[in-house]
Amino acid sequence: MKTNDENPKRWREALRASWESDAPTSEDLSRLWDGVETRAAKMLASDRARRPVPSPWATSVHLRAATAIFLFAIAGVTGSVSAAAEGSLPGDFLYPVKIHVNDFAIEVAAVTAEGNARAKVAIVERRNDEIAALADEGRLDAEVIAEISDNIQEHVEEIVTEVREAGTRDEDHYAAVGVVSEELAAAIDGCVETIALVYGDAEPEAPTENAAEVTDEDITVTARLQDDPTPEPVPAEGEVAIMAAPAEAVTAEDSLIDGTQLELRALAESLDTFTETEAATGGGADVPALPNQEEAPAPAPVATSTETASTSTVTVTVEI
Amino acid sequence: MSGELEKAREETAAAFNEHAAAILTFCRRRLSDREAAEDIVQEAFARYWATRSRGEEIRQPRAFLYTVAGNLIKNHFRDRKEAASLDGMMADGFDLRDPDSDAAAEAREGEMMRTVEAQLGREDATILALRYVEGLELSDIGRALGKSRVAVSVRIHRALKKLKTHFRED
């Protein structure tokens, strides 16, 4: 083509022609518009679903949320971790926080001896809740039960020692004794019942009657292995050996659970008698402690240990 | 439908009437796949509609539409890993000419079209068309093609020179 020079706009025409050669027809466009309407309807629907209230306050709500988050962060990581731990269960990552931090907070809040005893009741009830929650989730097993039982026994040991060694025998002291012997014992029984709901009652030879008969002044519940080397002398007359589970009849798991149940039950029953023993020992307000307690090398240690499946023998030792 | 939504619809329809043909051409030029091109145009206008119905302002409808379409094209290439090569499209039987056009005009313009495309390559031809046929701003072309304003300016300058030289010398 040699005519292009004649028209300085020639390239523009060529460009336009080239461009418009691909121009859509009006049918193309109306079909296209239908598609736009369909798509937009979908888009708007999902928009509405995503943010149901597109309000002019949206920004300030976001600001407030951000501020709240910031303040929460400042309020303390400890607090939030502890709050997060509150719902945790044995085996969970945060469970140690719950039993060491949150439980401690419950105890610290108590001022009087009675308050301390009630704190222990509350803690044992928390353990009971955990057993129930674990059972719901199908995570309750012998190991967890033993862990919870250990925790309960530690707390019982603490409160029994504390109440017994209290220097004064005042109203608060007796109120504490009452709480321990009734409410705490009931709370522990509650745990045993919850376990029994899942695994059935423990099948001891004849543990409860024997244990109930052993009502002596001092209460030390020692659950230990038979071959466990015990530092303190064990008086033979007060010893009741309970065969928790015949090894040939049940699985190791079952026997472990039975053993733990029996442990806890014996613990609760020993607490039942706490009132009497404390009344007896503390009858004279001036008498600080029984002679045999002073003779003992250590003030009535409450050693607890998880039963192993090998012997599964719970020994409830009552010292005189 | 509330007044606000109806308003968004009317605005979208107006923008569609004004720009849809050019946007579709642009998409067709960038994509060998005609369905994909239409798909992208629909998506761009639907987004326009949704944006307006959210109460967000669109100051330059055309720039918005080209930008959205350009981004969607980029995504399309990324997803399909499809190279927009003219040779490939020709091999696929893609015809640059409008089959409905007048036969004589087609003979005359077809030559020019092929000349423009052959001289400049598809992308530069598109850039020049956007600039001189559609009258888009350099920055809008840049947004539509994913290039900087300066890059577009340089390419337009070179392409224009080439085109003018060709039409003078041919």
Side-chain angles (χ1 to χ4, degrees), chain A residues 1 4-5 18 39 47, chain B residues 29 39 43 54 168 170:
Chain A
M1 281 191 184
N4 292 335
D5 275 341
S18 166
R39 268 169 203 255
D47 254 19
Chain B
R29 283 298 155 111
D39 204 48
E43 181 71 16
R54 273 182 225 123
R168 207 172 292 134
D170 193 62

Side-chain angles (χ1 to χ4, degrees), chain B residues 69-80:
Chain B
N71 288 336
L72 291 170
I73 289 167
K74 218 185 320 177
N75 292 348
H76 175 85
F77 283 138
R78 195 188 54 209
D79 293 344
R80 298 272 304 272

Side-chain angles (χ1 to χ4, degrees), chain A residues 212-272:
Chain A
E213 281 164 21
V214 185
T215 55
D216 264 304
E217 290 147 300
D218 205 351
I219 298 159
T220 305
V221 181
T222 309
R224 61 177 178 271
L225 296 177
Q226 273 183 327
D227 58 352
D228 187 15
T230 314
E232 71 201 84
V234 180
E237 70 267 27
E239 186 174 307
V240 180
I242 302 161
M243 292 307 294
E248 67 278 7
V250 289
T251 64
E253 166 107 358
D254 284 343
S255 68
L256 193 52
I257 292 165
D258 278 359
T260 312
Q261 272 181 275
L262 293 173
E263 243 173 61
L264 289 173
R265 194 173 287 159
L267 189 62
E269 281 163 2
S270 68
L271 290 177
D272 280 345

Side-chain angles (χ1 to χ4, degrees), chain A residues 1-2 4-5 11 14 18-19 21-22 24 28-29 31-33 35 37 39-40 43-44 47 51, chain B residues 9 16 24-25 28-29 34 38-39 42-43 53-54 96 98 113 117 129 134 160 167-168 170:
Chain A
M1 281 191 184
K2 300 198 188 269
N4 292 335
D5 275 341
W11 65 268
S18 166
W19 182 248
S21 67
D22 247 359
D28 284 346
L29 291 175
R31 180 166 44 83
L32 226 53
W33 176 250
E37 293 208 277
R39 268 169 203 255
M43 227 177 255
L44 294 174
D47 254 19
R51 32 176 166 171
Chain B
R9 184 186 185 277
F16 186 88
L24 180 57
T25 305
R28 282 178 176 177
R29 283 298 155 111
R34 290 215 157 207
E38 292 187 1
D39 204 48
Q42 288 176 340
E43 181 71 16
S53 69
R54 273 182 225 123
L96 287 174
D98 182 358
M113 281 189 293
E117 296 275 340
E134 297 298 335
L160 205 54
F167 273 95
R168 207 172 292 134
D170 193 62

Side-chain angles (χ1 to χ4, degrees), chain B residues 36 54 67 135 153:
Chain B
R54 273 182 225 123
T67 306
S153 169

Side-chain angles (χ1 to χ4, degrees), chain A residues 76-270:
Chain A
V77 174
T78 317
S80 50
V81 168
S82 145
E86 191 51 33
S88 65
L89 296 171
D92 289 345
F93 178 67
L94 286 175
Y95 186 68
V97 176
K98 182 180 180 182
I99 61 171
H100 290 120
V101 179
N102 298 16
D103 286 359
F104 182 67
I106 293 174
E107 294 176 71
V108 166
V111 181
T112 62
E114 185 190 355
N116 286 341
R118 289 198 187 283
K120 296 299 185 187
V121 173
I123 288 169
V124 171
E125 281 170 351
R126 280 154 72 86
R127 295 297 93 84
N128 194 358
D129 291 344
E130 286 162 13
I131 295 170
L134 285 165
D136 276 349
E137 292 180 18
R139 287 162 58 195
L140 192 64
D141 60 23
E143 201 183 323
V144 173
I145 291 173
E147 189 188 329
I148 290 176
S149 169
D150 281 355
N151 183 270
I152 290 172
Q153 292 188 40
E154 277 171 32
H155 284 294
V156 169
E157 178 189 349
E158 277 173 25
I159 191 68
V160 166
T161 310
E162 186 188 315
V163 169
R164 185 183 291 133
E165 291 181 350
T168 55
R169 295 283 188 271
D170 53 11
E171 272 187 28
D172 178 47
H173 171 80
Y174 290 110
V177 170
V179 170
V180 169
S181 61
E182 289 173 21
E183 296 181 30
L184 190 57
I188 296 169
D189 273 338
C191 292
V192 176
E193 277 169 29
T194 308
I195 298 170
L197 282 176
V198 182
Y199 288 100
D201 278 313
E203 297 295 338
E205 296 291 290
T208 51
E209 301 88 78
N210 283 355
E213 281 164 21
V214 185
T215 55
D216 264 304
E217 290 147 300
D218 205 351
I219 298 159
T220 305
V221 181
T222 309
R224 61 177 178 271
L225 296 177
Q226 273 183 327
D227 58 352
D228 187 15
T230 314
E232 71 201 84
V234 180
E237 70 267 27
E239 186 174 307
V240 180
I242 302 161
M243 292 307 294
E248 67 278 7
V250 289
T251 64
E253 166 107 358
D254 284 343
S255 68
L256 193 52
I257 292 165
D258 278 359
T260 312
Q261 272 181 275
L262 293 173
E263 243 173 61
L264 289 173
R265 194 173 287 159
L267 189 62
E269 281 163 2
S270 68

